Amino acid sequence: MSMLASPPAISPARLHKLVTSQPDPLLALGLVNVTSPTTTPHPATLHSLLLRLARRRDHLPHALALLRRLPDPPSPRLLLPVLLAVLRLRRPPQLFLSTFNSLFVSGPSPLPLHPQLLLRLLSVLSSTASHFLSALHLLRLVSSRLPIPAPLVLASHNLLIEAAARYGHVAVSLSLFHRLRSLNVSPNADTYRILTQLLCRKAQVRTAATLLDEMLHRGIPADPLAYTTVLNALCRKKQLREAYRLLCLMRGRGVPPDIVHYNTIIVGMCREGRPLDACKVVGDMVESGCKPNAATYATLVNGLCVSGLYEKAEAYLVDMVGKGLVPHFSVFHSVIKGCCAVGKVKEAAQIMSLMLDLGVVPHVESWSSVIRCVCNDEDCIEAVLLQMVTGKRRGSSTISRSTLK
């Protein structure tokens, strides 16, 4: 009985060229099988062949068999393209899940699951709404059948909680949140931040505030962004008292309010026509060592002008300039227009002069408001406006002299 002769040995580079030039992936696989006794294929050869086999459903068993024949466990860089190719077959998601199950869970020789591979697969699946359900099934399969460490459980659940929040699925996000507890894994600050943002978007502010209290009781370091989200939601629901109460509680919870938290409350109070309460918040802000910025003063000045409190608006504007902050021209315009509306032409002229000294270009409406207060004769308005435009500094002094007559 004659023995079959062994195939001649060829170099891995030659084998790679033969395999990649073969249009039929099954014939290319046959070349690898025939030369396997004498030639070890290059990893790039197996990589390209695996991808070609995984692109067709009827070739998928050959791809999985080739994976198990590899001398070393395949790396995530090799497994990820193969699994994504299966996902792109436009078949029901059960094919992808069964492929994953046969590779890592219940196959004859399960492969080790790399943490980055799991997170990448969940990220790809949850990036589209049509595959989000598959991501949930994959997470349930992995967490119930494989011994994965607690940090990976938390990271994978946070990823899907954020995806569910992106699609507006409040019930799914809360279900994943409660499932962490059943797995004896504690949520972290990112988990609570994602949930509070979702609940606030869905106008469930009380539930979001309850989550902040739960963070405190669990000893989890508070996330300042989560407090900003809840404060903004309370202000938009016109619950200013509750918002200010939460702001006062923050310091006792180890989260000193910063400029963003204070500005959120100030904006909410000015929006609801309560600028005097906003002035008190600015006072608390200064006492706590937090310096107001340009946005703080701009919001406060505009809010005071809307309520007709022009003297206080002018005082805060001067205080703002005295601290080296240059207001936007719209802030100047609000005070100038308000002073002109109540006949305080001298104060409007002084603010215009201050505006020019700072190099801020006035709006045409600012010029028009001051000129109409100074000039009683309509024919004079055009001449004075031309004089101010051609010589801003000279024009501002002209306004001041006219107002003193």
PDB file of all heavy atoms in Angstrom, residues 103-136:
ATOM      1  N   LEU A 103     -18.704  30.282  19.944  1.00  0.00           N
ATOM      2  CA  LEU A 103     -17.284  30.614  20.065  1.00  0.00           C
ATOM      3  C   LEU A 103     -16.838  30.739  21.522  1.00  0.00           C
ATOM      4  O   LEU A 103     -15.755  30.264  21.887  1.00  0.00           O
ATOM      5  CB  LEU A 103     -16.984  31.918  19.328  1.00  0.00           C
ATOM      6  CG  LEU A 103     -16.852  31.865  17.814  1.00  0.00           C
ATOM      7  CD1 LEU A 103     -16.664  33.265  17.249  1.00  0.00           C
ATOM      8  CD2 LEU A 103     -15.696  30.976  17.409  1.00  0.00           C
ATOM      9  N   PHE A 104     -17.655  31.367  22.356  1.00  0.00           N
ATOM     10  CA  PHE A 104     -17.187  31.762  23.683  1.00  0.00           C
ATOM     11  C   PHE A 104     -17.906  31.063  24.841  1.00  0.00           C
ATOM     12  O   PHE A 104     -17.421  31.111  25.970  1.00  0.00           O
ATOM     13  CB  PHE A 104     -17.336  33.276  23.877  1.00  0.00           C
ATOM     14  CG  PHE A 104     -16.560  34.091  22.887  1.00  0.00           C
ATOM     15  CD1 PHE A 104     -17.188  34.657  21.798  1.00  0.00           C
ATOM     16  CD2 PHE A 104     -15.200  34.276  23.032  1.00  0.00           C
ATOM     17  CE1 PHE A 104     -16.485  35.417  20.878  1.00  0.00           C
ATOM     18  CE2 PHE A 104     -14.477  35.030  22.124  1.00  0.00           C
ATOM     19  CZ  PHE A 104     -15.119  35.593  21.031  1.00  0.00           C
ATOM     20  N   VAL A 105     -19.084  30.468  24.585  1.00  0.00           N
ATOM     21  CA  VAL A 105     -19.880  29.963  25.708  1.00  0.00           C
ATOM     22  C   VAL A 105     -20.013  28.452  25.677  1.00  0.00           C
ATOM     23  O   VAL A 105     -19.521  27.742  26.571  1.00  0.00           O
ATOM     24  CB  VAL A 105     -21.277  30.637  25.730  1.00  0.00           C
ATOM     25  CG1 VAL A 105     -22.090  30.119  26.909  1.00  0.00           C
ATOM     26  CG2 VAL A 105     -21.137  32.149  25.805  1.00  0.00           C
ATOM     27  N   SER A 106     -20.680  27.932  24.667  1.00  0.00           N
ATOM     28  CA  SER A 106     -21.062  26.515  24.703  1.00  0.00           C
ATOM     29  C   SER A 106     -20.443  25.696  23.588  1.00  0.00           C
ATOM     30  O   SER A 106     -20.934  24.602  23.289  1.00  0.00           O
ATOM     31  CB  SER A 106     -22.592  26.399  24.622  1.00  0.00           C
ATOM     32  OG  SER A 106     -23.062  26.981  23.418  1.00  0.00           O
ATOM     33  N   GLY A 107     -19.410  26.191  22.956  1.00  0.00           N
ATOM     34  CA  GLY A 107     -18.760  25.419  21.904  1.00  0.00           C
ATOM     35  C   GLY A 107     -17.923  24.292  22.472  1.00  0.00           C
ATOM     36  O   GLY A 107     -17.747  24.158  23.691  1.00  0.00           O
ATOM     37  N   PRO A 108     -17.368  23.443  21.590  1.00  0.00           N
ATOM     38  CA  PRO A 108     -16.527  22.333  22.074  1.00  0.00           C
ATOM     39  C   PRO A 108     -15.271  22.809  22.805  1.00  0.00           C
ATOM     40  O   PRO A 108     -14.821  22.161  23.743  1.00  0.00           O
ATOM     41  CB  PRO A 108     -16.179  21.569  20.788  1.00  0.00           C
ATOM     42  CG  PRO A 108     -16.430  22.543  19.674  1.00  0.00           C
ATOM     43  CD  PRO A 108     -17.519  23.437  20.122  1.00  0.00           C
ATOM     44  N   SER A 109     -14.705  23.893  22.370  1.00  0.00           N
ATOM     45  CA  SER A 109     -13.530  24.468  23.062  1.00  0.00           C
ATOM     46  C   SER A 109     -13.695  25.981  23.096  1.00  0.00           C
ATOM     47  O   SER A 109     -13.210  26.689  22.213  1.00  0.00           O
ATOM     48  CB  SER A 109     -12.238  24.084  22.333  1.00  0.00           C
ATOM     49  OG  SER A 109     -12.296  24.484  20.975  1.00  0.00           O
ATOM     50  N   PRO A 110     -14.434  26.508  24.085  1.00  0.00           N
ATOM     51  CA  PRO A 110     -14.731  27.943  24.123  1.00  0.00           C
ATOM     52  C   PRO A 110     -13.459  28.794  24.180  1.00  0.00           C
ATOM     53  O   PRO A 110     -12.487  28.457  24.862  1.00  0.00           O
ATOM     54  CB  PRO A 110     -15.556  28.102  25.403  1.00  0.00           C
ATOM     55  CG  PRO A 110     -16.108  26.744  25.674  1.00  0.00           C
ATOM     56  CD  PRO A 110     -15.057  25.787  25.203  1.00  0.00           C
ATOM     57  N   LEU A 111     -13.488  29.871  23.449  1.00  0.00           N
ATOM     58  CA  LEU A 111     -12.358  30.795  23.428  1.00  0.00           C
ATOM     59  C   LEU A 111     -12.456  31.755  24.601  1.00  0.00           C
ATOM     60  O   LEU A 111     -13.564  32.057  25.075  1.00  0.00           O
ATOM     61  CB  LEU A 111     -12.349  31.586  22.115  1.00  0.00           C
ATOM     62  CG  LEU A 111     -12.207  30.773  20.828  1.00  0.00           C
ATOM     63  CD1 LEU A 111     -12.385  31.671  19.612  1.00  0.00           C
ATOM     64  CD2 LEU A 111     -10.865  30.064  20.780  1.00  0.00           C
ATOM     65  N   PRO A 112     -11.335  32.249  25.093  1.00  0.00           N
ATOM     66  CA  PRO A 112     -11.405  33.266  26.166  1.00  0.00           C
ATOM     67  C   PRO A 112     -11.956  34.586  25.617  1.00  0.00           C
ATOM     68  O   PRO A 112     -11.594  35.018  24.515  1.00  0.00           O
ATOM     69  CB  PRO A 112      -9.940  33.404  26.611  1.00  0.00           C
ATOM     70  CG  PRO A 112      -9.132  32.936  25.442  1.00  0.00           C
ATOM     71  CD  PRO A 112      -9.947  31.877  24.761  1.00  0.00           C
ATOM     72  N   LEU A 113     -12.831  35.204  26.381  1.00  0.00           N
ATOM     73  CA  LEU A 113     -13.459  36.460  25.966  1.00  0.00           C
ATOM     74  C   LEU A 113     -12.644  37.633  26.519  1.00  0.00           C
ATOM     75  O   LEU A 113     -12.553  37.823  27.735  1.00  0.00           O
ATOM     76  CB  LEU A 113     -14.904  36.531  26.470  1.00  0.00           C
ATOM     77  CG  LEU A 113     -15.674  37.808  26.137  1.00  0.00           C
ATOM     78  CD1 LEU A 113     -15.770  37.999  24.623  1.00  0.00           C
ATOM     79  CD2 LEU A 113     -17.064  37.777  26.754  1.00  0.00           C
ATOM     80  N   HIS A 114     -12.080  38.412  25.627  1.00  0.00           N
ATOM     81  CA  HIS A 114     -11.298  39.578  26.034  1.00  0.00           C
ATOM     82  C   HIS A 114     -12.243  40.717  26.422  1.00  0.00           C
ATOM     83  O   HIS A 114     -13.242  40.959  25.731  1.00  0.00           O
ATOM     84  CB  HIS A 114     -10.381  40.019  24.893  1.00  0.00           C
ATOM     85  CG  HIS A 114      -9.290  40.943  25.311  1.00  0.00           C
ATOM     86  ND1 HIS A 114      -9.496  42.310  25.446  1.00  0.00           N
ATOM     87  CD2 HIS A 114      -8.003  40.716  25.653  1.00  0.00           C
ATOM     88  CE1 HIS A 114      -8.366  42.873  25.834  1.00  0.00           C
ATOM     89  NE2 HIS A 114      -7.441  41.936  25.966  1.00  0.00           N
ATOM     90  N   PRO A 115     -11.977  41.438  27.497  1.00  0.00           N
ATOM     91  CA  PRO A 115     -12.890  42.525  27.909  1.00  0.00           C
ATOM     92  C   PRO A 115     -13.098  43.579  26.829  1.00  0.00           C
ATOM     93  O   PRO A 115     -14.229  44.035  26.616  1.00  0.00           O
ATOM     94  CB  PRO A 115     -12.194  43.112  29.142  1.00  0.00           C
ATOM     95  CG  PRO A 115     -11.357  42.004  29.684  1.00  0.00           C
ATOM     96  CD  PRO A 115     -10.903  41.230  28.494  1.00  0.00           C
ATOM     97  N   GLN A 116     -12.011  43.978  26.149  1.00  0.00           N
ATOM     98  CA  GLN A 116     -12.166  45.004  25.122  1.00  0.00           C
ATOM     99  C   GLN A 116     -13.013  44.517  23.951  1.00  0.00           C
ATOM    100  O   GLN A 116     -13.714  45.312  23.314  1.00  0.00           O
ATOM    101  CB  GLN A 116     -10.786  45.444  24.626  1.00  0.00           C
ATOM    102  CG  GLN A 116      -9.971  46.203  25.665  1.00  0.00           C
ATOM    103  CD  GLN A 116     -10.697  47.445  26.153  1.00  0.00           C
ATOM    104  OE1 GLN A 116     -11.340  48.160  25.388  1.00  0.00           O
ATOM    105  NE2 GLN A 116     -10.599  47.703  27.456  1.00  0.00           N
ATOM    106  N   LEU A 117     -12.955  43.225  23.655  1.00  0.00           N
ATOM    107  CA  LEU A 117     -13.794  42.688  22.581  1.00  0.00           C
ATOM    108  C   LEU A 117     -15.265  42.789  22.951  1.00  0.00           C
ATOM    109  O   LEU A 117     -16.105  43.189  22.121  1.00  0.00           O
ATOM    110  CB  LEU A 117     -13.407  41.235  22.312  1.00  0.00           C
ATOM    111  CG  LEU A 117     -14.258  40.502  21.268  1.00  0.00           C
ATOM    112  CD1 LEU A 117     -14.131  41.159  19.905  1.00  0.00           C
ATOM    113  CD2 LEU A 117     -13.862  39.031  21.186  1.00  0.00           C
ATOM    114  N   LEU A 118     -15.613  42.436  24.184  1.00  0.00           N
ATOM    115  CA  LEU A 118     -17.009  42.525  24.620  1.00  0.00           C
ATOM    116  C   LEU A 118     -17.502  43.971  24.568  1.00  0.00           C
ATOM    117  O   LEU A 118     -18.594  44.246  24.047  1.00  0.00           O
ATOM    118  CB  LEU A 118     -17.144  41.970  26.041  1.00  0.00           C
ATOM    119  CG  LEU A 118     -18.526  42.111  26.679  1.00  0.00           C
ATOM    120  CD1 LEU A 118     -19.582  41.377  25.874  1.00  0.00           C
ATOM    121  CD2 LEU A 118     -18.514  41.640  28.112  1.00  0.00           C
ATOM    122  N   LEU A 119     -16.713  44.910  25.085  1.00  0.00           N
ATOM    123  CA  LEU A 119     -17.132  46.313  25.094  1.00  0.00           C
ATOM    124  C   LEU A 119     -17.270  46.849  23.674  1.00  0.00           C
ATOM    125  O   LEU A 119     -18.193  47.623  23.376  1.00  0.00           O
ATOM    126  CB  LEU A 119     -16.134  47.159  25.888  1.00  0.00           C
ATOM    127  CG  LEU A 119     -16.063  46.862  27.396  1.00  0.00           C
ATOM    128  CD1 LEU A 119     -14.999  47.720  28.052  1.00  0.00           C
ATOM    129  CD2 LEU A 119     -17.418  47.112  28.054  1.00  0.00           C
ATOM    130  N   ARG A 120     -16.364  46.430  22.791  1.00  0.00           N
ATOM    131  CA  ARG A 120     -16.449  46.902  21.407  1.00  0.00           C
ATOM    132  C   ARG A 120     -17.688  46.348  20.715  1.00  0.00           C
ATOM    133  O   ARG A 120     -18.374  47.066  19.979  1.00  0.00           O
ATOM    134  CB  ARG A 120     -15.180  46.485  20.669  1.00  0.00           C
ATOM    135  CG  ARG A 120     -15.124  46.915  19.222  1.00  0.00           C
ATOM    136  CD  ARG A 120     -15.147  48.409  19.070  1.00  0.00           C
ATOM    137  NE  ARG A 120     -15.070  48.786  17.667  1.00  0.00           N
ATOM    138  CZ  ARG A 120     -15.636  49.850  17.155  1.00  0.00           C
ATOM    139  NH1 ARG A 120     -16.330  50.669  17.944  1.00  0.00           N
ATOM    140  NH2 ARG A 120     -15.531  50.137  15.885  1.00  0.00           N
ATOM    141  N   LEU A 121     -17.989  45.085  20.936  1.00  0.00           N
ATOM    142  CA  LEU A 121     -19.190  44.501  20.336  1.00  0.00           C
ATOM    143  C   LEU A 121     -20.451  45.187  20.854  1.00  0.00           C
ATOM    144  O   LEU A 121     -21.374  45.508  20.073  1.00  0.00           O
ATOM    145  CB  LEU A 121     -19.249  43.005  20.633  1.00  0.00           C
ATOM    146  CG  LEU A 121     -18.265  42.112  19.874  1.00  0.00           C
ATOM    147  CD1 LEU A 121     -18.340  40.688  20.398  1.00  0.00           C
ATOM    148  CD2 LEU A 121     -18.556  42.150  18.381  1.00  0.00           C
ATOM    149  N   LEU A 122     -20.525  45.418  22.149  1.00  0.00           N
ATOM    150  CA  LEU A 122     -21.695  46.100  22.708  1.00  0.00           C
ATOM    151  C   LEU A 122     -21.815  47.516  22.163  1.00  0.00           C
ATOM    152  O   LEU A 122     -22.925  48.009  21.899  1.00  0.00           O
ATOM    153  CB  LEU A 122     -21.594  46.136  24.234  1.00  0.00           C
ATOM    154  CG  LEU A 122     -21.747  44.788  24.950  1.00  0.00           C
ATOM    155  CD1 LEU A 122     -21.501  44.956  26.446  1.00  0.00           C
ATOM    156  CD2 LEU A 122     -23.134  44.195  24.707  1.00  0.00           C
ATOM    157  N   SER A 123     -20.688  48.188  21.990  1.00  0.00           N
ATOM    158  CA  SER A 123     -20.715  49.549  21.457  1.00  0.00           C
ATOM    159  C   SER A 123     -21.230  49.568  20.024  1.00  0.00           C
ATOM    160  O   SER A 123     -22.046  50.423  19.654  1.00  0.00           O
ATOM    161  CB  SER A 123     -19.311  50.156  21.538  1.00  0.00           C
ATOM    162  OG  SER A 123     -19.289  51.437  20.958  1.00  0.00           O
ATOM    163  N   VAL A 124     -20.769  48.608  19.204  1.00  0.00           N
ATOM    164  CA  VAL A 124     -21.220  48.549  17.808  1.00  0.00           C
ATOM    165  C   VAL A 124     -22.704  48.202  17.733  1.00  0.00           C
ATOM    166  O   VAL A 124     -23.468  48.811  16.972  1.00  0.00           O
ATOM    167  CB  VAL A 124     -20.367  47.528  17.022  1.00  0.00           C
ATOM    168  CG1 VAL A 124     -20.950  47.311  15.632  1.00  0.00           C
ATOM    169  CG2 VAL A 124     -18.924  48.014  16.919  1.00  0.00           C
ATOM    170  N   LEU A 125     -23.122  47.232  18.515  1.00  0.00           N
ATOM    171  CA  LEU A 125     -24.530  46.822  18.480  1.00  0.00           C
ATOM    172  C   LEU A 125     -25.450  47.933  18.969  1.00  0.00           C
ATOM    173  O   LEU A 125     -26.532  48.157  18.407  1.00  0.00           O
ATOM    174  CB  LEU A 125     -24.726  45.569  19.328  1.00  0.00           C
ATOM    175  CG  LEU A 125     -24.158  44.260  18.777  1.00  0.00           C
ATOM    176  CD1 LEU A 125     -24.216  43.171  19.828  1.00  0.00           C
ATOM    177  CD2 LEU A 125     -24.908  43.831  17.523  1.00  0.00           C
ATOM    178  N   SER A 126     -25.055  48.626  20.026  1.00  0.00           N
ATOM    179  CA  SER A 126     -25.930  49.658  20.596  1.00  0.00           C
ATOM    180  C   SER A 126     -25.870  50.972  19.841  1.00  0.00           C
ATOM    181  O   SER A 126     -26.631  51.888  20.152  1.00  0.00           O
ATOM    182  CB  SER A 126     -25.546  49.906  22.061  1.00  0.00           C
ATOM    183  OG  SER A 126     -24.210  50.376  22.165  1.00  0.00           O
ATOM    184  N   SER A 127     -24.977  51.081  18.853  1.00  0.00           N
ATOM    185  CA  SER A 127     -24.874  52.339  18.112  1.00  0.00           C
ATOM    186  C   SER A 127     -26.030  52.549  17.152  1.00  0.00           C
ATOM    187  O   SER A 127     -26.263  53.664  16.685  1.00  0.00           O
ATOM    188  CB  SER A 127     -23.548  52.395  17.347  1.00  0.00           C
ATOM    189  OG  SER A 127     -23.481  51.339  16.397  1.00  0.00           O
ATOM    190  N   THR A 128     -26.762  51.499  16.816  1.00  0.00           N
ATOM    191  CA  THR A 128     -27.934  51.603  15.948  1.00  0.00           C
ATOM    192  C   THR A 128     -29.144  51.035  16.677  1.00  0.00           C
ATOM    193  O   THR A 128     -29.042  50.024  17.370  1.00  0.00           O
ATOM    194  CB  THR A 128     -27.718  50.830  14.628  1.00  0.00           C
ATOM    195  OG1 THR A 128     -27.390  49.472  14.922  1.00  0.00           O
ATOM    196  CG2 THR A 128     -26.593  51.447  13.814  1.00  0.00           C
ATOM    197  N   ALA A 129     -30.276  51.666  16.479  1.00  0.00           N
ATOM    198  CA  ALA A 129     -31.495  51.256  17.185  1.00  0.00           C
ATOM    199  C   ALA A 129     -31.939  49.849  16.788  1.00  0.00           C
ATOM    200  O   ALA A 129     -32.496  49.108  17.603  1.00  0.00           O
ATOM    201  CB  ALA A 129     -32.612  52.256  16.920  1.00  0.00           C
ATOM    202  N   SER A 130     -31.669  49.457  15.528  1.00  0.00           N
ATOM    203  CA  SER A 130     -32.120  48.136  15.069  1.00  0.00           C
ATOM    204  C   SER A 130     -31.364  46.990  15.749  1.00  0.00           C
ATOM    205  O   SER A 130     -31.878  45.870  15.835  1.00  0.00           O
ATOM    206  CB  SER A 130     -31.965  48.033  13.549  1.00  0.00           C
ATOM    207  OG  SER A 130     -30.614  48.247  13.170  1.00  0.00           O
ATOM    208  N   HIS A 131     -30.139  47.244  16.221  1.00  0.00           N
ATOM    209  CA  HIS A 131     -29.339  46.194  16.858  1.00  0.00           C
ATOM    210  C   HIS A 131     -29.267  46.346  18.377  1.00  0.00           C
ATOM    211  O   HIS A 131     -28.544  45.589  19.028  1.00  0.00           O
ATOM    212  CB  HIS A 131     -27.914  46.204  16.294  1.00  0.00           C
ATOM    213  CG  HIS A 131     -27.828  45.732  14.880  1.00  0.00           C
ATOM    214  ND1 HIS A 131     -26.851  46.156  14.010  1.00  0.00           N
ATOM    215  CD2 HIS A 131     -28.614  44.879  14.170  1.00  0.00           C
ATOM    216  CE1 HIS A 131     -27.029  45.589  12.830  1.00  0.00           C
ATOM    217  NE2 HIS A 131     -28.094  44.805  12.912  1.00  0.00           N
ATOM    218  N   PHE A 132     -29.987  47.333  18.909  1.00  0.00           N
ATOM    219  CA  PHE A 132     -29.902  47.567  20.356  1.00  0.00           C
ATOM    220  C   PHE A 132     -30.426  46.365  21.146  1.00  0.00           C
ATOM    221  O   PHE A 132     -29.868  45.995  22.182  1.00  0.00           O
ATOM    222  CB  PHE A 132     -30.670  48.834  20.729  1.00  0.00           C
ATOM    223  CG  PHE A 132     -30.655  49.127  22.199  1.00  0.00           C
ATOM    224  CD1 PHE A 132     -29.473  49.458  22.848  1.00  0.00           C
ATOM    225  CD2 PHE A 132     -31.822  49.052  22.949  1.00  0.00           C
ATOM    226  CE1 PHE A 132     -29.446  49.720  24.203  1.00  0.00           C
ATOM    227  CE2 PHE A 132     -31.805  49.322  24.311  1.00  0.00           C
ATOM    228  CZ  PHE A 132     -30.607  49.651  24.935  1.00  0.00           C
ATOM    229  N   LEU A 133     -31.480  45.742  20.657  1.00  0.00           N
ATOM    230  CA  LEU A 133     -32.029  44.573  21.344  1.00  0.00           C
ATOM    231  C   LEU A 133     -31.016  43.427  21.362  1.00  0.00           C
ATOM    232  O   LEU A 133     -30.908  42.689  22.349  1.00  0.00           O
ATOM    233  CB  LEU A 133     -33.326  44.129  20.670  1.00  0.00           C
ATOM    234  CG  LEU A 133     -34.139  43.035  21.372  1.00  0.00           C
ATOM    235  CD1 LEU A 133     -34.532  43.485  22.776  1.00  0.00           C
ATOM    236  CD2 LEU A 133     -35.373  42.667  20.560  1.00  0.00           C
ATOM    237  N   SER A 134     -30.242  43.291  20.271  1.00  0.00           N
ATOM    238  CA  SER A 134     -29.203  42.261  20.247  1.00  0.00           C
ATOM    239  C   SER A 134     -28.132  42.543  21.291  1.00  0.00           C
ATOM    240  O   SER A 134     -27.574  41.609  21.894  1.00  0.00           O
ATOM    241  CB  SER A 134     -28.569  42.193  18.855  1.00  0.00           C
ATOM    242  OG  SER A 134     -29.532  41.859  17.874  1.00  0.00           O
ATOM    243  N   ALA A 135     -27.823  43.822  21.498  1.00  0.00           N
ATOM    244  CA  ALA A 135     -26.850  44.181  22.529  1.00  0.00           C
ATOM    245  C   ALA A 135     -27.347  43.774  23.913  1.00  0.00           C
ATOM    246  O   ALA A 135     -26.579  43.264  24.742  1.00  0.00           O
ATOM    247  CB  ALA A 135     -26.569  45.681  22.477  1.00  0.00           C
ATOM    248  N   LEU A 136     -28.636  43.966  24.165  1.00  0.00           N
ATOM    249  CA  LEU A 136     -29.196  43.557  25.453  1.00  0.00           C
ATOM    250  C   LEU A 136     -29.126  42.038  25.628  1.00  0.00           C
ATOM    251  O   LEU A 136     -28.779  41.539  26.709  1.00  0.00           O
ATOM    252  CB  LEU A 136     -30.648  44.034  25.557  1.00  0.00           C
ATOM    253  CG  LEU A 136     -30.873  45.548  25.646  1.00  0.00           C
ATOM    254  CD1 LEU A 136     -32.361  45.859  25.618  1.00  0.00           C
ATOM    255  CD2 LEU A 136     -30.243  46.104  26.909  1.00  0.00           C
TER     256      LEU A 136
END
